[in-house]
Amino acid sequence: MEPIPLMTPYKMGKFDLSHRVVLAPLTRQRSYGNVPQPHAILYHSQRATKGGLLISEATGVSDTAQGYRDQPGIWTKEQIEAWKPIVNAVHEKGGIFFCQIWHSGRVSHYKYQPNGQAPISSIDKQIPSQKQHDDTVEDYSPPRALKTEEIPDVVNDFRLAARNAIEAGFDGVEIHGAHGYLIEQFMKDSSNNRTDKYGGSLENRCRFALEIVEAISNEIGPDRLGIRLSPFTDYMECFDSDPETLGLYMVQSLNKLNILYCHMVEPRMAIVEGRYQILHRLLPMRKAFNGTFLAAGGYDREEGNKVVAEGYTDLVVYGRLFLANPDLPRRFELNAPLNKYNRLTFYTPDPVVGYTDYPFLEESP
């Protein structure tokens, strides 16, 4: 029997992938005090397969980077050491593990900032309160716009975090340039009214992102570096008036830096009959990018097979389905039933419930 497209091998630079199913970088909020915990060893090793790519949850580059409770960081020696057994567990299963590094920017609150200071951003405009999955409300504090001369220090925080990730044993690093966080706050015109060299034109708005890419590339090598972008999304009051031009400019600029992969998030419409309707607007970026292309955003097995078969993307990134199905590649291979995910336990602090207690196929009733 011919393997389904999602289960065919793929060579991503120097990495030999056995299938095209990628674990998305999923925030889980179980890294107490911003330090990865031993229960993350089981969580990640459950989802690791020989030749399978996993991307860690968003991991802070500095003490100003945090935007939510109990997210991991990688700016201290303690955090680096705490990541090591987690990375080792993935490697023991033959998996490939990239660390997603981020800065939340204005998507934060005084309580998550050192000395209760204002979060930093491209501008000083506050985000309105947001309702969460569990009906609680998250409040965000008024941010402070970074001064031009401060920006190189933030770029350097990303560079050092990438170096730390490699020290912790990760195979590579993904820069989080999506979903309304600091990098995207600079890139998109709704959240950047700066008048210095980091604002105004498309080239200026993308300068911060590309300086980070270049700094990390010089530190760890472009062959171990990817970036996640979401030009079409409007998370956290962050949107662009011309998302396709933004996306194309970024991938063409990334080509000059020769990085390993570009991971893009699909725009999506409302849920229809329990499924996201994917708009498939990434093709111009996919065609323009020279490296490996990853697509994310509401895919299921059928849609994933289709986009790989058609050459729309090289790899497909799964979040909620992989969260609830630690053996997702196997289930896709067999076309087996899937566990249903429970949104209410996505971000709870429990080290087991909604984290490592989803059953494997052979354990399912």
Side-chain angles (χ1 to χ4, degrees), residues 89-314:
V90 171
H91 286 160
E92 283 170 7
K93 295 277 290 284
I96 296 147
F97 203 6
F98 273 54
C99 182
Q100 189 194 68
I101 57 174
W102 82 321
H103 195 300
S104 65
R106 65 178 182 167
V107 187
S108 188
H109 190 276
Y110 299 139
K111 65 187 176 186
Y112 300 123
Q113 294 297 313
N115 305 313
Q117 66 194 37
I120 56 175
S121 182
S122 52
I123 56 175
D124 59 6
K125 185 180 177 186
Q126 183 178 7
I127 310 172
S129 300
Q130 306 269 333
K131 192 174 183 180
Q132 306 301 303
H133 292 310
D134 58 0
D135 288 335
T136 60
V137 173
E138 190 84 38
D139 293 318
Y140 305 101
S141 299
R144 172 181 71 80
L146 279 164
K147 297 173 185 172
T148 307
E149 61 269 22
E150 293 177 300
I151 291 175
D153 292 334
V154 182
V155 172
N156 195 50
D157 287 338
F158 274 88
R159 180 186 68 82
L160 293 173
R163 185 171 76 186
N164 291 345
I166 299 304
E167 184 184 336
F170 284 100
D171 298 291
V173 166
E174 176 178 288
I175 300 164
H176 194 347
H179 292 157
Y181 298 114
L182 183 62
I183 292 174
E184 199 174 76
Q185 289 159 31
F186 274 84
M187 280 195 288
K188 292 189 171 177
D189 55 17
S190 72
S191 54
N192 186 338
N193 60 6
R194 300 177 71 94
T195 56
D196 63 358
K197 67 179 183 177
Y198 293 97
S201 68
L202 180 60
E203 179 184 5
N204 281 358
R205 286 185 278 116
C206 293
R207 187 185 306 277
F208 177 55
L210 294 169
E211 285 180 352
I212 289 170
V213 174
E214 186 169 16
I216 294 176
S217 181
N218 290 339
E219 182 68 38
I220 68 171
D223 57 338
R224 296 199 280 193
L225 180 58
I227 189 169
R228 190 180 216 204
L229 300 170
S230 59
F232 295 98
T233 65
D234 60 356
Y235 291 112
M236 300 296 175
E237 304 274 300
C238 206
F239 54 88
D240 197 82
S241 58
D242 189 354
E244 188 161 297
T245 300
L246 170 62
L248 278 170
Y249 178 81
M250 280 299 295
V251 297
Q252 288 161 353
S253 302
L254 294 169
N255 282 339
K256 297 172 190 170
L257 297 167
N258 201 32
I259 68 169
L260 179 63
Y261 73 73
C262 181
H263 172 188
M264 279 214 174
V265 180
E266 293 275 10
R268 61 195 187 202
M269 296 168 64
I271 298 173
V272 178
E273 295 179 354
R275 288 178 59 180
Y276 282 108
Q277 300 304 293
I278 301 170
L279 297 184
H280 296 116
R281 289 177 65 187
L282 303 182
L283 191 58
M285 280 70 88
R286 193 276 194 275
K287 285 182 173 178
F289 186 61
N290 294 338
T292 294
F293 196 83
L294 285 66
Y299 285 99
D300 59 12
R301 179 182 185 272
E302 177 188 355
E303 196 75 38
N305 280 323
K306 181 171 178 282
V307 291
V308 170
E310 293 176 351
Y312 178 81
T313 188
D314 297 308

Side-chain angles (χ1 to χ4, degrees), residues 1 3-7 19-22 299-305 316-319 321-322 325 327-338 361:
M1 188 174 72
I4 62 171
L6 280 170
M7 298 311 295
H19 57 78
R20 315 291 184 105
V21 180
V22 180
Y299 285 99
D300 59 12
R301 179 182 185 272
E302 177 188 355
E303 196 75 38
N305 280 323
V316 184
V317 183
Y318 289 90
L321 295 186
F322 218 151
N325 296 272
D327 51 355
L328 187 66
R330 178 76 175 144
R331 289 180 190 248
F332 278 172
E333 184 178 24
L334 299 173
N335 199 16
L338 299 180
L361 192 56

